Amino acid sequence: MTVSPSGSGGAVRGRVRVRRGLSRSSPRPFRGAAGTPWIYLAPALVVLGGLLVYPVYQLGLISFLEYTQAQVSGGEATTFRGFGNYAELFGDGEFWRVLLATVVFAAACVVSTLAVGCALAVLLTRVRAVPRLVLMLAALGAWATPAVTGSTVWLLLFDPDFGPVNRMLGLGDHSWTYGRYSAFLLVLLEVVWCSFPFVMVTVYAGIRAVPAEVLEAAALDGASQWRIWRSVLAPMLRPILVVVTIQSVIWDFKVFTQIYVMTNGGGIAGQNLVLNVYAYQKAFASSQYSLGSAIGVVMLLILLAVTLVYLRLLRRQGEEL
């Protein structure tokens, strides 16, 4: 039995009509669905706007004004200086000295924190349950300790008269906070002590997510622990390492409490000043609020630049963030 071309053509046209009818009657996606996530994010954005955007706006505004104790008390009118505060700040040699010290100190803290945190994260995967639990509790205790309390405890430990560290090392009445570099070293140890638990817990969670077969294959090939970390774990954990690195840079670059408490406001003759303490001294000790705000804006721009450059370099290497 044969089918005429006209018959087949009619059947095709019928199927086309049916499909068109189905397409017309099928429900279309809701056009407002694209804006639904923003509805859920709106409360958080409002809170962030109030807690972040407005203070940053005020910080930038004050940095362009002549705003000292005279203006605060109402004795003189507030005047607009433009970039005068920044010109005065950049023309001050002490600012550049403090900036260099801040960059070097923050870099040392970040590297040390990442090294200690990653090493202990790998150690957690090698020990049994009870030692792992003890180490986790001890680390979380250090992380939960307030910065003022931790700084005071470290000062007592390294006290030249009653501290147990000097007795154990046989240093007598050596003062760790008298010298510039020894004071920075003491603060660095305290910063690493209270910061490494975040890196350790985060990296440990990432290691536990790595398939065990990958690590077993590397071990069977004769790779050492360092080689496994460098060639296997570190590339797979790179997104996590990006997060902890950026967080560490932000935290360590704006260290205030540890420096202020452990060096009594910046050390002898300001030898241990960092930008945050320097801004505090300018704004509150000297009542130059506009200069203190200008230092805060410079710190904000530096942190934004470091973060953006770091993310850009990772994107060039093909990493998905």
Side-chain angles (χ1 to χ4, degrees), residues 110 114 118 198-199 202-203 239-249:
V110 171
L114 291 177
C118 293
F198 170 74
V199 178
T202 306
V203 175
I240 295 177
L241 294 177
V242 169
V243 174
V244 297
T245 300
I246 293 176
Q247 290 280 6
S248 298
V249 169

Side-chain angles (χ1 to χ4, degrees), residues 191-266:
V191 170
V192 172
W193 175 76
C194 66
S195 301
F196 84 86
F198 170 74
V199 178
M200 183 190 73
V201 173
T202 306
V203 175
Y204 172 71
I207 294 175
R208 299 299 295 179
V210 175
E213 295 80 6
V214 177
L215 302 179
E216 292 177 0
L220 290 176
D221 289 339
S224 61
Q225 293 298 325
W226 168 247
R227 185 60 184 271
I228 292 176
W229 167 260
R230 184 170 61 89
S231 302
V232 179
L233 288 176
M236 299 182 72
L237 298 176
R238 188 165 296 176
I240 295 177
L241 294 177
V242 169
V243 174
V244 297
T245 300
I246 293 176
Q247 290 280 6
S248 298
V249 169
I250 294 174
W251 289 341
D252 295 340
F253 191 82
K254 59 185 185 66
V255 166
F256 173 82
T257 305
Q258 290 88 343
I259 289 286
Y260 192 83
V261 173
M262 300 180 72
T263 64
N264 196 19

Side-chain angles (χ1 to χ4, degrees), residues 18 24 27 53-54 73 79 89 113 115 129 147 208 210 216 265 274 296 320:
V18 172
R24 288 177 182 176
V53 176
Y54 182 73
S73 61
T79 57
L89 185 65
T113 302
R208 299 299 295 179
V210 175
E216 292 177 0
V274 292
E320 294 183 2

